[in-house]
Amino acid sequence: LGDGYLQAKEFPESIRQLSKAVTLRGQFPAAHCKLGMALLEDGRPDEAIDEFAEAANMQPDYVDALAGWGNALLKLGRAEEAAGKYTSALRLAPEVGDLHYNLGNAWLKLGRLHEAEKEYRATLAISPMSAAAHHNLGLTLLELGRPREAAAQFSATIQQLPNSAVAHANLSRALAELSQTVEAIAEAERSLSLEPDNPELLAMLSHLKMGIK
């Protein structure tokens, strides 16, 4: 029942039902893990960590519990610890693209760019159409000083998400670094058309236009 409410995104009721289940059944790692997921979705990552930890302690090879634990840690800004949980999960399930992606996000937050690149590329080897992985690989490559490669990744993101203002904005950044100012302005204008009230996009466009005066 609690899982059904979780799937329906009715998180408070899911939490209530799953809390009953863990109280009644005790050694029930799946219920602890699902409760952790519901708590995380409900914006309660501190409490979610306790449930994921309980599930993983009961069943050390429980990939979903380790992954959820990592997600909750990352939500709290504890990227180093999150990376440890994702790494543990990947030892058990190296074929899961989302684990590589989330580990890449942890490395990116920590500024460990080469490790992040490796994980995003691993994600794309498993899920070539992952727009999020293309985008974050682009961010990583931009930080590594490789704007041409970054632009290709942002373009791949836009192919799948043509109305992503952030992808157009980041493609504009990459093109500007390549001194392709006219193309950069075009992408900045597309981004601003999607988010016309965004002051950062307006400032970026103004800066680019000043560069060709």
Side-chain angles (χ1 to χ4, degrees):
L1 188 59
D3 190 26
Y5 283 115
L6 178 59
Q7 297 301 320
K9 300 187 184 301
E10 296 181 26
F11 304 121
E13 186 58 26
S14 177
I15 290 166
R16 193 172 74 85
Q17 295 294 335
L18 289 164
S19 295
K20 279 186 189 177
V22 299
T23 300
L24 290 170
R25 292 192 56 178
Q27 292 286 108
F28 190 8
H32 281 285
C33 185
K34 295 291 186 182
L35 178 54
M37 292 177 182
L39 288 164
L40 186 57
E41 291 288 351
D42 201 46
R44 296 155 67 179
D46 280 308
E47 295 169 75
I49 284 172
D50 293 337
E51 298 304 326
F52 290 128
E54 192 70 23
N57 288 335
M58 290 177 185
Q59 186 177 328
D61 62 350
Y62 197 167
V63 172
D64 286 349
L66 291 167
W69 196 349
N71 292 342
L73 289 165
L74 199 60
K75 183 71 94 174
L76 290 169
R78 294 159 61 181
E80 188 83 50
E81 294 171 79
K85 300 306 173 191
Y86 295 137
T87 300
S88 295
L90 278 165
R91 289 193 193 102
L92 298 163
E95 75 287 352
V96 177
D98 283 349
L99 290 174
H100 288 284
Y101 173 74
N102 289 335
L103 179 55
N105 290 343
W107 291 142
L108 184 58
K109 281 184 180 291
L110 291 164
R112 293 172 61 171
L113 301 177
H114 292 290
E115 290 97 326
E117 178 185 0
K118 175 185 172 185
E119 295 305 326
Y120 292 135
R121 290 195 186 280
T123 305
L124 291 167
I126 296 165
S127 304
M129 301 300 287
S130 172
H134 279 295
H135 183 265
N136 286 8
L137 177 56
L139 291 176
T140 303
L141 293 166
L142 206 53
E143 289 293 316
L144 285 167
R146 293 151 63 186
R148 193 172 304 281
E149 293 172 75
Q153 296 301 322
F154 295 134
S155 295
T157 305
I158 290 165
Q159 284 182 354
Q160 296 173 65
L161 301 174
N163 294 324
S164 171
V166 68
H168 284 289
N170 285 323
L171 178 54
S172 176
R173 288 173 58 206
L175 292 168
E177 290 196 21
L178 292 165
S179 299
Q180 297 180 24
T181 309
V182 173
E183 294 87 346
I185 288 171
E187 289 301 325
E189 287 175 338
R190 290 188 188 99
S191 182
L192 190 61
S193 73
L194 293 162
E195 289 188 9
D197 298 324
N198 188 319
E200 292 182 6
L201 295 178
L202 185 59
M204 181 176 73
L205 181 57
S206 298
H207 177 75
L208 287 167
K209 286 184 172 180
M210 285 176 62
I212 60 170
K213 285 184 179 179

